[in-house]
Amino acid sequence: MIARLEGQLESVEGGIAYIRTPGGLTYEVLVSAYTAARLGGSIGQPVTLETLHFVESQNQGATLLPRLAGFLTAQDRRFFELFTTTKGIGNKRALRAMTLATDQIAAAIADRDLTLLQSLPEIGKRTAETVVATLHGKVDKFVSAAAFDQNAASRGKDESAPGGSRTMAREALEVLLQLGENRAQALAWIDEVLRSEDRPSDVQDLIAKVYRIKAR
């Protein structure tokens, strides 16, 4: 099983990334729209993807084709594996549906936000209800880990430090939820603030900047 792939990103075409390894092989890797968008700026550069190898059945099972799905993080791959335990959501359908960050989709499931889930490709009302019924209570560990861990790592913050991005983001999220904000939307606002040049100095400043975004 191919668990990780490192090489030069040759191109991203639709939902496929082409990665050339040092040995000269070019792999065709299926990726979500969210992943493809973030790989777009890395053409010609070395990349590393966490991967999942699976077999696709075609022609009523007469043909079996090996496929490789790629993810930005191991956390994304684990969420994908959980997501595909939902009845009716296979590997390729799940990839087409994952147009948002893993933590945002997980937050929608945790909050039973059928509207957001139905906004995803391939997910209608009945499928959204099935996703929530199947995965609610199983996605909490994915809710904010992806965005907050990435922000902390990208700025060299110590996650255990009181002023670190991850701790600040989690505290701000708790406050926003207490104020009645939707979890998925709050996560998106927090992520936008932490990615901006005008970094918040503390939790209160972060929340203030979130409400300035909301008021736009």
Side-chain angles (χ1 to χ4, degrees):
M1 178 175 173
I2 304 173
R4 184 178 296 109
L5 188 63
E6 298 181 4
Q8 184 184 58
L9 180 63
E10 292 188 335
S11 64
V12 180
E13 301 173 12
I16 301 176
Y18 294 90
I19 300 177
R20 183 178 179 83
T21 64
L25 294 175
T26 296
Y27 284 84
E28 179 183 282
V29 185
L30 303 178
V31 295
S32 68
Y34 180 84
T35 299
R38 276 140 191 81
L39 289 175
S42 300
I43 304 299
Q45 299 178 17
V47 297
T48 300
L49 292 180
E50 302 294 327
T51 57
L52 180 68
H53 189 249
F54 65 93
V55 176
E56 180 185 2
S57 175
Q58 292 188 333
N59 301 323
Q60 296 182 338
T63 304
L64 298 177
L65 297 176
R67 298 293 192 190
L68 198 62
F71 308 90
L72 298 175
T73 67
Q75 186 88 341
D76 289 343
R77 183 180 63 191
R78 287 191 290 270
F79 177 80
F80 174 83
E81 291 177 293
L82 178 64
F83 195 38
T84 53
T85 63
T86 304
K87 183 178 179 180
I89 297 186
N91 292 320
K92 296 186 84 170
R93 187 178 185 184
L95 287 170
R96 289 193 294 268
M98 292 173 66
T99 56
L100 297 176
T102 291
D103 59 305
Q104 288 181 278
I105 300 174
I109 296 170
D111 286 345
R112 302 181 188 272
D113 188 345
L114 298 180
T115 300
L116 187 145
L117 291 174
Q118 288 178 70
S119 73
L120 304 176
E122 303 285 333
I123 307 295
K125 183 176 185 294
R126 182 169 297 178
T127 302
E129 292 172 346
T130 302
V131 169
V132 170
T134 304
L135 303 182
H136 187 266
K138 300 178 181 179
V139 296
D140 290 351
K141 62 184 177 182
F142 299 103
V143 167
S144 58
F148 297 168
D149 288 353
Q150 183 180 34
N151 280 315
S154 66
R155 293 176 174 84
K157 293 285 186 181
D158 180 355
E159 292 181 357
S160 63
S165 292
R166 182 178 179 181
T167 300
M168 187 190 304
R170 289 189 183 280
E171 290 181 4
L173 177 61
E174 290 178 5
V175 173
L176 291 169
L177 292 179
Q178 291 171 6
L179 292 172
E181 301 295 347
N182 173 273
R183 184 190 300 269
Q185 185 60 73
L187 282 168
W189 287 329
I190 291 171
D191 189 59
E192 183 176 344
V193 171
L194 293 179
R195 290 179 186 278
S196 70
E197 293 297 325
D198 184 16
R199 295 286 323 289
S201 57
D202 54 29
V203 174
Q204 289 75 20
D205 188 29
L206 173 53
I207 293 171
K209 285 180 167 62
V210 161
Y211 277 109
R212 282 200 287 271
I213 291 174
K214 181 180 179 180
R216 287 195 311 222

